[in-house]
Structure formats: C-alpha cells, structure tokens
Amino acid sequence: MTAAPSRGPLRVAIMTDETGWHTARLKQALRERACEGRCVNLADCRIDTTWAWHGLVIPGYGRGLPDAVIVRGLASGSFEQVTLRLGILHALRELGVPVYNDARAIERSVDKGMTSFLLHLAGIPTPATWVSESVPQAQRTVMRESAAGRALVLKPLFGSQGKGLRRIGAAAGDAPVPLPALAAYRHVAYLQRFVPSRAAPGQPGFDWRVLVVGGRAVAAMRRVSQGWIHNVAQGARCEHAELAPALAALSVRAAEALGLDYAGVDLVPIGEGENPDRAMVIEVNGVAAWHGLQSVTRVDIAGLLVDDLLARKLPAARSAPARRAAVA
C-alpha cells in the first residue's frame, strides 16, 4: 500500500437518512467551492475488515474514504443500530477523516440529560433539570416543584422538533398535572423546570434559535407562537432577530460546552426592563435544521457550514497526501 497525491475535487460525504432541501443546499455550496458532495445513509455503511486496509465500507467511495463528512441526519433505530451508526462516525475520525459534527459531540447533544449536565457543569444558565429511571423519584420531584408553584416540562430523552413535550406539575389557575406513565418515554423521566413566558397576557410568546458555526454566532431568529412550545415543526412562526452580544456569547459558550462544530442553540428569555436579552439555554442541537432560520436571514448558512469545514477542519486538504488506498 502506498500513498498517492490527492487528485480531483475534495469528496465530502453528507450523512443523511433523507435527501431534500438541506442536502441540496449543502451539495450546491460544495459545488460552488469545487468540492463533490454525495449523500450517504449511515444505515448503508458497514464495518468489513476484509474489504480494505481501513475496514470500512462507505457506499459510493469504493475501497477508499471520503475526504470529509458532514452529518446532516442520524435516523432513529434500535440501540444496536444507533450504536453501529455512531461507531462508523467514530471510526472515520480515528482514520483521520474530519467529521462535522463528530460522533462524540452528537452523542452529547442528542442525549438531553447529558446536554443539561454539561451546560450546568460549564456554568451556563439553564433550567433546573432532573433525569431518572425511578418513577417514585420523578413523582417526588413533581410534587416538590408543584408545592412551590412551579411547573415542569417532561421531554423524551432523545427527541426533536417539540415532539412528546408535556407540561406537568403546577399550572396557573388549574389543578397540578401529575406525572404520566413513562412507557411512552422509554421509562426515563427527563424533567426540566418550566420557564414562564415574558409576553403580556394574550400576546404570543417566543424563544430564540441561534446558529453557532465554528465558534461564532452567525444568525438568530425568534420562534413565535401562542402556545408554550415554540418549535417551528409545531407551528411556530419564524422572525428575524438581531444577535445581541450577550445572546451570541451565551450561545457560543453552549456550543463549546458540548464540543460542537456547529449548533442550533435554543434559548428562552428571562430578562426584563433594562436587560431584555438575558436568556437561559434549554437545548443544544448538534444536527440542527436551518430551513426556518434561512427564511429570515440573508446569511448563506450552507455556505458558512462548508466554509468552516474547509477552512478549519481541512486547512491543507488539497496539498496533503491522500490517504492510503488499497491495492487490488
């Protein structure tokens, strides 16, 4: 086996279980930078130590490897399936292939409990959180918070787009809502203290989504809705938001706490009066969608992602020797 000089455009695998608007934008951004983007489903990748020296099979790359990987989607599956898919990303990193975001960072961000732990550990303002398999422990938490007049949000430990969120515990003017059966939550209670809206009565509330790329906050929007769930997938309206310095700095700290190359940081406002931009981080998304955000900003988000990958993760890709290729 010998090393050969790099030839042709940089080949970037876009890991996704579905193609559409996001992958089209990434492929276009790659083409504009003389790179080749190819969509690959992680479920179609495999480990095969007889195939090539590196032991991986990445469809579309023969016995070779892509020059870099952008993770656009990670499909749900059994514990074993998800472990294998993340293992492929881990293996690519071990082989020197830049993975954006890499498996370690994705593992931290898809696990809401670990996200909350790392935010807390970094001293980042975030709502009080309890995560447990114990139903009695979770019930005691709900009862204690309700007695103090506070509501909680029950969330799936792994989930996105506002699916499965339930407000429990104390509720203004209503009887407390008890903890439901946890079978629908895979027998894990992830409880986060509810942060009330700062909106005037009858007015829609909002939260912020800030996009962080390469350690820099690049765009923001307000997600506005009449209800307390502000996810765009649940009907929230996107509005352009100015990136206040405090909001940008907090979002960058949150992305850094999880080791993310890029992140969608969700924040709820807690400021008032002379300090309206104070916020708490509620979630950090390591495989963030940006269709809604792109609709209210002039920033070319796909271009920023690709530029960060090429400039920071592949600083000398064209001049460096290619990886070893198997000799038939």
Side-chain angles (χ1 to χ4, degrees):
M1 289 181 277
T2 59
S6 182
R7 296 177 182 175
L10 288 171
R11 303 188 304 168
V12 179
I14 303 169
M15 296 298 187
T16 180
D17 59 310
E18 58 182 22
T19 58
W21 183 89
H22 288 88
T23 54
R25 295 293 290 242
L26 287 170
K27 291 173 78 170
Q28 178 183 342
L30 287 163
R31 282 195 304 270
E32 290 172 353
R33 290 151 180 83
C35 301
E36 175 192 284
R38 177 188 293 272
C39 292
V40 178
N41 192 335
L42 272 169
D44 296 331
C45 301
R46 65 186 189 273
I47 295 171
D48 183 345
T49 59
T50 69
W51 177 250
W53 69 268
H54 47 73
L56 291 182
V57 180
I58 311 296
Y61 292 93
R63 296 179 184 271
L65 296 169
D67 295 293
V69 167
I70 298 174
V71 182
R72 176 53 242 142
L74 186 67
S76 60
S78 68
F79 178 77
E80 290 80 4
Q81 287 173 314
V82 174
T83 298
L84 174 58
R85 293 165 193 168
L86 288 169
I88 297 292
L89 298 179
H90 279 297
L92 286 163
R93 187 196 70 244
E94 293 298 324
L95 290 165
V97 178
V99 180
Y100 190 94
N101 287 302
D102 77 16
R104 295 169 298 182
I106 290 173
E107 286 168 347
R108 297 182 189 116
S109 64
V110 299
D111 176 352
K112 290 185 174 64
M114 181 55 64
T115 295
S116 293
F117 169 77
L118 290 172
L119 293 174
H120 171 74
L121 195 64
I124 294 169
T126 190
T129 303
W130 300 262
V131 190
S132 173
E133 292 184 54
S134 168
V135 172
Q137 182 63 51
Q139 289 173 331
R140 285 193 291 271
T141 299
V142 174
M143 292 172 63
R144 184 176 64 249
E145 289 292 295
S146 294
R150 292 188 290 258
L152 297 166
V153 179
L154 173 65
K155 303 180 181 183
L157 191 65
F158 306 117
S160 62
Q161 300 183 331
K163 297 176 182 177
L165 273 59
R166 295 185 64 174
R167 183 176 167 183
I168 62 174
D174 298 319
V177 178
L179 181 76
L182 294 179
Y185 295 85
R186 303 291 182 94
H187 305 284
V188 171
Y190 174 95
L191 298 168
Q192 191 174 65
R193 186 174 287 165
F194 177 71
V195 181
S197 172
R198 297 281 171 164
Q203 295 299 309
F206 74 92
D207 66 9
W208 285 290
R209 161 63 65 90
V210 176
L211 183 69
V212 177
V213 178
R216 185 168 64 95
V218 298
M221 67 176 175
R222 299 197 331 163
R223 305 186 299 184
V224 182
S225 65
Q226 290 290 346
W228 62 272
I229 299 176
H230 301 301
N231 296 78
V232 174
Q234 301 300 319
R237 181 176 77 252
C238 301
E239 293 182 354
H240 174 75
E242 295 298 327
L243 259 173
L247 201 63
L250 183 57
S251 300
V252 169
R253 287 178 59 202
E256 289 176 344
L258 274 69
L260 291 161
D261 294 312
Y262 77 98
V265 183
D266 297 338
L267 311 97
V268 289
I270 58 172
E272 53 189 355
E274 296 180 357
N275 197 4
D277 297 320
R278 287 184 60 224
M280 277 189 175
V281 177
I282 53 172
E283 291 189 12
V284 183
N285 303 275
V287 190
W290 68 88
H291 197 177
L293 180 56
Q294 186 66 79
S295 71
V296 295
T297 182
R298 295 182 179 180
V299 171
D300 176 13
I301 294 174
L304 287 178
L305 295 171
V306 171
D307 285 342
D308 185 48
L309 169 67
L310 299 180
R312 189 171 56 84
K313 305 279 279 188
L314 281 168
R318 287 193 176 276
S319 59
R323 292 177 189 83
R324 292 178 295 171
V327 177

